[in-house]
Amino acid sequence: MEQAQKTADKNQVQVIARAAAILRTLEDNKHGLSLGQIALRVGLARSTVQRIVGALETERLVVAASPTGRVRLGPALLRLAASVEINPARIARPFIAELSSALGETVDLAAVRRDQVVFIDQVLGSQRLRTVSAIGESFPLYCTANGKAYLAQLDVAEVERLVGRSFPPRTPHTLTRLDALLRELEEVRHTGFALDREEHTLGISAAGVALADALGNPIAISVPVPTQRFTGREGAIVETLLATRRALAERFAAEIE
């Protein structure tokens, strides 16, 4: 009897994991996917996917996206998400403010959206000559410090899928080929930080780190500095930035304990 109960519990956990995999597969497909497409992406039999999707539809976690059987994420997920009060920008704000104060430089907080980093918060530095980017502004992953810090967390196939094998130059210093970028990302994995030496904008250099927020979503912190002030201060900037990353990662971990 005890063994039967363990088997039943194991099967229930497996169903939950499969349902979660199906929901994640639908996350970036606002027009929905067919049962066959879902089955292919999650590696399950179509009949299994059909049963799980049917249960999810009953709970309004997925809904029909077309008359031909495609499904998409449903409105019940919005209600669930609305009850989650974890706001990464709010939590990170005092950390990036302290970092900005310590360095006297602007600090940016960004979220990752496919092949772009999008600024979600910023603390301006105290220097008269400083860098400023608008909240909501987006930048490519391959030529920014925060973007490269995020890419370094991915494997080669994922990096290539996101940025391709060649990229348009933003400045004469931009890396434009995947092989060169991958070599730099290997170094970033070793050191824990990435640098942008005028690769996105002439006259501006930056250091960046990446981490996951309390919900597991990737975010990045960067310190953009006019190159004339960045040169010679990289060590101090990176050291303080890495300390901020460690402290913020601990704070996010505490949110889910």
Side-chain angles (χ1 to χ4, degrees):
M1 181 67 70
E2 183 178 347
Q3 183 60 41
Q5 183 61 50
K6 288 182 178 179
T7 300
D9 290 344
K10 182 178 179 181
N11 289 340
Q12 289 174 351
V13 170
Q14 185 181 61
V15 170
I16 293 171
R18 289 174 170 178
I22 290 171
L23 292 174
R24 283 194 296 270
T25 297
L26 292 170
E27 183 178 357
D28 292 322
N29 292 278
K30 63 181 180 180
H31 299 299
L33 295 172
S34 69
L35 295 180
Q37 289 172 319
I38 296 172
L40 184 63
R41 297 188 185 195
V42 300
L44 295 173
R46 189 183 184 283
S47 57
T48 301
V49 169
Q50 185 173 19
R51 288 196 300 273
I52 296 173
V53 166
L56 293 173
E57 282 184 310
T58 300
E59 300 297 331
R60 301 289 289 171
L61 294 171
V62 302
V63 295
S66 75
T68 58
R70 298 168 73 90
V71 295
R72 59 177 175 82
L73 295 178
L77 286 171
L78 292 175
R79 293 195 298 272
L80 292 173
S83 67
V84 178
E85 297 182 355
I86 296 175
N87 183 326
R90 176 183 57 79
I91 294 171
R93 180 72 182 189
F95 292 87
I96 65 173
E98 183 178 349
L99 176 60
S100 176
S101 177
L103 296 175
E105 303 291 354
T106 296
V107 176
D108 293 316
L109 180 69
V112 179
R113 299 289 184 267
R114 299 189 181 183
D115 63 342
Q116 303 276 314
V117 285
V118 180
F119 291 116
I120 58 175
D121 199 7
Q122 181 182 75
V123 177
L124 295 178
S126 58
Q127 301 280 357
R128 181 180 295 274
L129 178 61
R130 61 194 182 194
T131 63
V132 179
S133 298
I135 303 301
E137 195 171 356
S138 61
F139 292 92
L141 296 174
Y142 67 87
C143 60
T144 53
N146 43 18
K148 288 189 288 183
Y150 167 68
L151 288 175
Q153 300 180 333
L154 309 179
D155 61 32
V156 172
E158 289 176 306
V159 173
E160 182 177 353
R161 179 179 60 81
L162 278 175
V163 302
R165 299 192 63 83
S166 62
F167 347 104
R170 293 301 185 105
T171 76
H173 306 290
T174 306
L175 298 178
T176 59
R177 296 193 59 81
L178 180 64
D179 53 356
L181 177 62
L182 291 176
R183 285 194 294 270
E184 182 170 337
L185 295 182
E186 188 60 36
E187 179 66 17
V188 175
R189 293 185 187 99
H190 177 71
T191 63
F193 66 89
L195 297 178
D196 161 12
R197 297 186 184 276
E198 299 191 349
E199 296 169 51
H200 181 271
T201 304
L202 287 176
I204 302 296
S205 295
V209 295
L211 67 158
D213 67 16
L215 298 177
N217 300 310
I219 61 172
I221 305 169
S222 58
V223 182
V225 182
T227 299
Q228 65 189 56
R229 204 161 62 234
F230 188 81
T231 304
R233 293 185 64 209
E234 298 99 320
I237 291 172
V238 165
E239 182 180 359
T240 312
L241 179 58
L242 288 171
T244 299
R245 183 196 181 282
R246 289 192 295 269
L248 183 54
E250 291 175 2
R251 178 67 176 82
F252 281 136
E255 282 288 320
I256 57 177
E257 288 181 353

